[in-house]
Protein backbone atom coordinates (compact mmCIF):
# COMPACT_ATOMS: atom_id res chain seq x y z
CA UNK A 1 0.00 0.00 0.00
CA UNK A 2 1.32 3.43 -0.90
CA UNK A 3 1.62 5.90 1.91
CA UNK A 4 -0.07 9.28 1.35
CA UNK A 5 -1.75 11.18 -1.48
CA UNK A 6 -2.83 14.83 -1.58
CA UNK A 7 -5.15 15.72 -4.46
CA UNK A 8 -5.44 19.41 -5.31
CA UNK A 9 -8.74 20.71 -6.75
CA UNK A 10 -8.54 24.29 -8.09
CA UNK A 11 -11.27 26.86 -8.53
CA UNK A 12 -12.54 28.17 -11.83
CA UNK A 13 -9.87 30.88 -12.14
CA UNK A 14 -7.69 29.91 -9.20
CA UNK A 15 -5.17 27.35 -10.45
CA UNK A 16 -2.92 25.18 -8.33
CA UNK A 17 0.08 27.52 -8.55
CA UNK A 18 -1.70 30.40 -6.80
CA UNK A 19 -0.74 31.02 -3.15
CA UNK A 20 -3.32 29.01 -1.18
CA UNK A 21 -2.89 25.87 -3.26
CA UNK A 22 0.82 26.31 -3.98
CA UNK A 23 1.72 26.55 -0.30
CA UNK A 24 -0.72 23.78 0.60
CA UNK A 25 1.11 21.50 -1.83
CA UNK A 26 4.45 22.41 -0.23
CA UNK A 27 2.97 21.77 3.19
CA UNK A 28 1.55 18.37 2.24
CA UNK A 29 4.75 17.41 0.46
CA UNK A 30 6.67 18.17 3.66
CA UNK A 31 4.50 15.56 5.43
CA UNK A 32 5.34 12.98 2.79
CA UNK A 33 2.24 13.25 0.62
CA UNK A 34 2.52 12.51 -3.08
CA UNK A 35 0.90 15.50 -4.84
CA UNK A 36 -1.62 15.11 -7.65
CA UNK A 37 -2.99 18.27 -9.32
CA UNK A 38 -6.41 18.14 -10.92
CA UNK A 39 -6.43 20.74 -13.68
CA UNK A 40 -9.76 21.35 -15.28
CA UNK A 41 -10.86 24.32 -17.29
CA UNK A 42 -12.66 25.66 -20.31
CA UNK A 43 -15.50 27.21 -18.31
CA UNK A 44 -17.73 29.92 -19.71
CA UNK A 45 -17.94 33.43 -18.32
CA UNK A 46 -20.51 35.08 -16.06
CA UNK A 47 -20.63 32.20 -13.59
CA UNK A 48 -20.70 34.24 -10.37
CA UNK A 49 -24.31 34.84 -9.32
CA UNK A 50 -25.78 32.52 -11.96
CA UNK A 51 -26.88 29.25 -10.35
CA UNK A 52 -27.35 27.51 -13.71
CA UNK A 53 -23.87 28.42 -14.95
CA UNK A 54 -22.37 27.46 -11.59
CA UNK A 55 -24.07 24.06 -11.77
CA UNK A 56 -22.79 23.61 -15.33
CA UNK A 57 -19.24 24.57 -14.30
CA UNK A 58 -19.42 22.09 -11.41
CA UNK A 59 -20.62 19.30 -13.71
CA UNK A 60 -17.91 20.08 -16.30
CA UNK A 61 -15.24 20.10 -13.59
CA UNK A 62 -16.50 16.83 -12.12
CA UNK A 63 -16.52 15.17 -15.56
CA UNK A 64 -12.98 16.36 -16.23
CA UNK A 65 -11.92 15.21 -12.75
CA UNK A 66 -13.27 11.71 -13.44
CA UNK A 67 -11.01 11.49 -16.51
CA UNK A 68 -7.98 13.01 -14.78
CA UNK A 69 -8.20 10.71 -11.74
CA UNK A 70 -9.09 7.58 -13.69
CA UNK A 71 -6.69 4.84 -12.71
CA UNK A 72 -5.52 6.60 -9.53
CA UNK A 73 -4.68 4.04 -6.90
CA UNK A 74 -6.78 4.89 -3.88
CA UNK A 75 -5.27 2.16 -1.70
CA UNK A 76 -3.47 4.68 0.50
CA UNK A 77 -3.14 4.89 4.21
CA UNK A 78 -3.94 8.62 4.04
CA UNK A 79 -5.69 10.78 1.44
CA UNK A 80 -5.96 14.55 1.65
CA UNK A 81 -8.17 16.60 -0.69
CA UNK A 82 -7.24 20.29 -0.85
CA UNK A 83 -9.78 22.37 -2.73
CA UNK A 84 -10.68 25.93 -3.67
CA UNK A 85 -14.06 27.48 -4.57
CA UNK A 86 -16.05 25.23 -6.94
CA UNK A 87 -13.29 22.67 -6.37
CA UNK A 88 -14.67 22.19 -2.84
CA UNK A 89 -17.89 20.80 -4.33
CA UNK A 90 -16.00 18.76 -6.93
CA UNK A 91 -13.67 17.19 -4.34
CA UNK A 92 -16.54 16.28 -2.03
CA UNK A 93 -18.79 14.95 -4.79
CA UNK A 94 -15.93 12.88 -6.21
CA UNK A 95 -15.17 11.39 -2.79
CA UNK A 96 -18.83 10.53 -2.20
CA UNK A 97 -19.24 8.98 -5.64
CA UNK A 98 -16.16 6.78 -5.20
CA UNK A 99 -16.67 5.87 -1.55
CA UNK A 100 -13.49 7.64 -0.48
CA UNK A 101 -12.94 9.04 3.01
CA UNK A 102 -10.20 11.64 2.64
CA UNK A 103 -9.49 14.54 4.92
CA UNK A 104 -10.46 17.90 3.40
CA UNK A 105 -9.04 21.41 3.37
CA UNK A 106 -11.75 23.64 1.91
CA UNK A 107 -10.66 27.10 0.75
CA UNK A 108 -13.54 29.51 0.12
CA UNK A 109 -16.37 27.10 -0.66
CA UNK A 110 -19.31 28.28 -2.71
CA UNK A 111 -22.77 27.95 -1.16
CA UNK A 112 -23.67 24.80 -3.13
CA UNK A 113 -20.57 23.05 -1.75
CA UNK A 114 -22.20 22.74 1.67
CA UNK A 115 -24.59 20.15 0.23
CA UNK A 116 -21.72 17.65 -0.19
CA UNK A 117 -18.92 18.81 2.14
CA UNK A 118 -17.71 16.22 4.64
CA UNK A 119 -15.54 15.79 7.71
CA UNK A 120 -12.84 15.60 8.80
CA UNK A 121 -12.17 19.04 7.41
CA UNK A 122 -11.15 22.61 7.97
CA UNK A 123 -12.88 25.44 6.09
CA UNK A 124 -11.44 28.86 5.23
CA UNK A 125 -13.62 31.84 4.29
CA UNK A 126 -13.10 35.56 3.72
CA UNK A 127 -15.79 37.74 5.28
CA UNK A 128 -15.82 39.91 2.14
CA UNK A 129 -16.15 36.96 -0.28
CA UNK A 130 -18.47 38.05 -3.13
CA UNK A 131 -19.11 34.41 -4.10
CA UNK A 132 -20.53 33.50 -0.68
CA UNK A 133 -22.14 36.12 1.54
CA UNK A 134 -20.62 36.04 5.02
CA UNK A 135 -24.01 35.75 6.75
CA UNK A 136 -24.90 32.72 4.60
CA UNK A 137 -21.49 31.22 5.36
CA UNK A 138 -22.11 31.69 9.10
CA UNK A 139 -25.48 29.94 8.84
CA UNK A 140 -24.09 27.05 6.79
CA UNK A 141 -21.03 26.54 8.96
CA UNK A 142 -23.17 26.60 12.12
CA UNK A 143 -25.42 23.89 10.62
CA UNK A 144 -22.43 21.65 9.88
CA UNK A 145 -20.30 22.25 12.96
CA UNK A 146 -17.17 22.10 10.78
CA UNK A 147 -13.90 23.55 12.01
CA UNK A 148 -13.31 26.87 10.25
CA UNK A 149 -11.24 30.03 10.03
CA UNK A 150 -12.56 33.40 8.82
CA UNK A 151 -10.14 35.93 7.35
CA UNK A 152 -11.36 39.45 8.10
CA UNK A 153 -11.59 41.82 5.16
CA UNK A 154 -10.64 39.05 2.71
CA UNK A 155 -12.21 38.24 -0.65
CA UNK A 156 -12.72 34.94 -2.48
CA UNK A 157 -8.95 34.49 -2.80
CA UNK A 158 -8.57 35.23 0.92
CA UNK A 159 -6.82 38.46 -0.02
CA UNK A 160 -7.34 42.09 0.97
CA UNK A 161 -6.19 45.35 -0.59
CA UNK A 162 -3.08 45.30 1.64
CA UNK A 163 -0.08 43.16 0.66
CA UNK A 164 1.40 43.12 4.17
CA UNK A 165 -1.93 41.99 5.60
CA UNK A 166 -2.23 39.33 2.87
CA UNK A 167 1.17 37.90 3.77
CA UNK A 168 0.29 37.88 7.48
CA UNK A 169 -3.06 36.24 6.70
CA UNK A 170 -1.45 33.66 4.42
CA UNK A 171 0.99 32.74 7.16
CA UNK A 172 -1.89 32.21 9.63
CA UNK A 173 -3.92 30.24 7.06
CA UNK A 174 -0.96 27.94 6.42
CA UNK A 175 -0.34 27.61 10.17
CA UNK A 176 -3.94 26.43 10.61
CA UNK A 177 -3.72 24.12 7.58
CA UNK A 178 -0.44 22.74 8.93
CA UNK A 179 -2.07 21.95 12.27
CA UNK A 180 -4.87 20.11 10.46
CA UNK A 181 -2.50 18.12 8.22
CA UNK A 182 -0.18 17.34 11.14
CA UNK A 183 -3.10 16.06 13.20
CA UNK A 184 -4.13 13.83 10.28
CA UNK A 185 -0.59 12.58 9.76
CA UNK A 186 -0.10 11.83 13.46
CA UNK A 187 -3.13 9.50 13.39
CA UNK A 188 -1.50 7.45 10.60
CA UNK A 189 1.83 6.87 12.40
Amino acid sequence: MKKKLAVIFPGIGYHTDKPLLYFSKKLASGYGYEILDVSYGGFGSGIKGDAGKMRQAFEEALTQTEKILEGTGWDREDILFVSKSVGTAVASAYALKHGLHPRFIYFTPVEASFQVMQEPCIVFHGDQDPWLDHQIFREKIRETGFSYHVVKGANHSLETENVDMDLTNLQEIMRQADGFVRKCSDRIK
Side-chain angles (χ1 to χ4, degrees):
M1 179 184 300
K2 296 179 184 175
K3 297 269 183 203
K4 303 176 186 179
L5 177 65
V7 184
I8 315 300
F9 298 81
I12 290 172
Y14 199 98
H15 54 76
T16 63
D17 285 336
K18 288 200 173 184
L20 295 170
L21 299 179
Y22 173 81
F23 285 109
S24 293
K25 290 191 302 184
K26 288 187 72 151
L27 183 88
S29 182
Y31 283 102
Y33 287 83
E34 174 188 343
I35 306 299
L36 178 56
D37 284 349
V38 175
S39 24
Y40 35 72
F43 306 109
S45 61
I47 296 171
K48 182 171 69 171
D50 186 320
K53 287 184 178 182
M54 177 60 84
R55 180 72 187 170
Q56 183 180 8
F58 161 75
E59 289 171 2
E60 288 175 16
L62 187 57
T63 298
Q64 291 177 43
T65 297
E66 290 288 345
K67 291 177 184 166
I68 293 166
L69 296 180
E70 187 176 18
T72 299
W74 296 113
D75 58 333
R76 310 291 179 124
E77 65 183 39
D78 190 13
I79 300 171
L80 175 68
F81 280 6
V82 180
S83 56
K84 169 78 175 79
S85 188
V86 73
T88 60
V90 174
S92 296
Y94 183 89
L96 285 169
K97 181 177 180 181
H98 293 275
L100 301 175
H101 302 285
R103 289 137 184 87
F104 295 90
I105 296 176
Y106 295 118
F107 290 116
T108 65
V110 294
E111 186 175 354
S113 298
F114 282 91
Q115 296 171 21
V116 290
M117 288 168 56
Q118 311 162 55
E119 289 189 291
C121 70
I122 187 167
V123 183
F124 294 89
H125 170 74
D127 69 359
Q128 300 300 308
D129 186 340
W131 285 72
L132 178 57
D133 178 79
H134 185 58
Q135 188 58 37
I136 293 171
F137 172 81
R138 288 171 49 123
E139 291 167 13
K140 297 287 184 185
I141 206 72
R142 200 170 324 148
E143 290 170 9
T144 64
F146 293 161
S147 177
Y148 70 95
H149 179 76
V150 174
V151 181
K152 294 190 184 305
N155 62 20
H156 194 58
S157 296
L158 296 180
E159 296 177 358
T160 68
E161 300 277 326
N162 182 304
V163 174
D164 288 335
M165 181 59 70
D166 291 343
L167 292 172
T168 299
N169 288 340
L170 182 61
Q171 187 174 20
E172 177 59 18
I173 291 163
M174 288 300 117
R175 188 188 69 72
Q176 297 246 350
D178 180 77
F180 177 76
V181 173
R182 184 177 344 102
K183 184 170 64 173
C184 295
S185 293
D186 287 348
R187 282 188 282 206
I188 302 304
K189 292 179 181 176

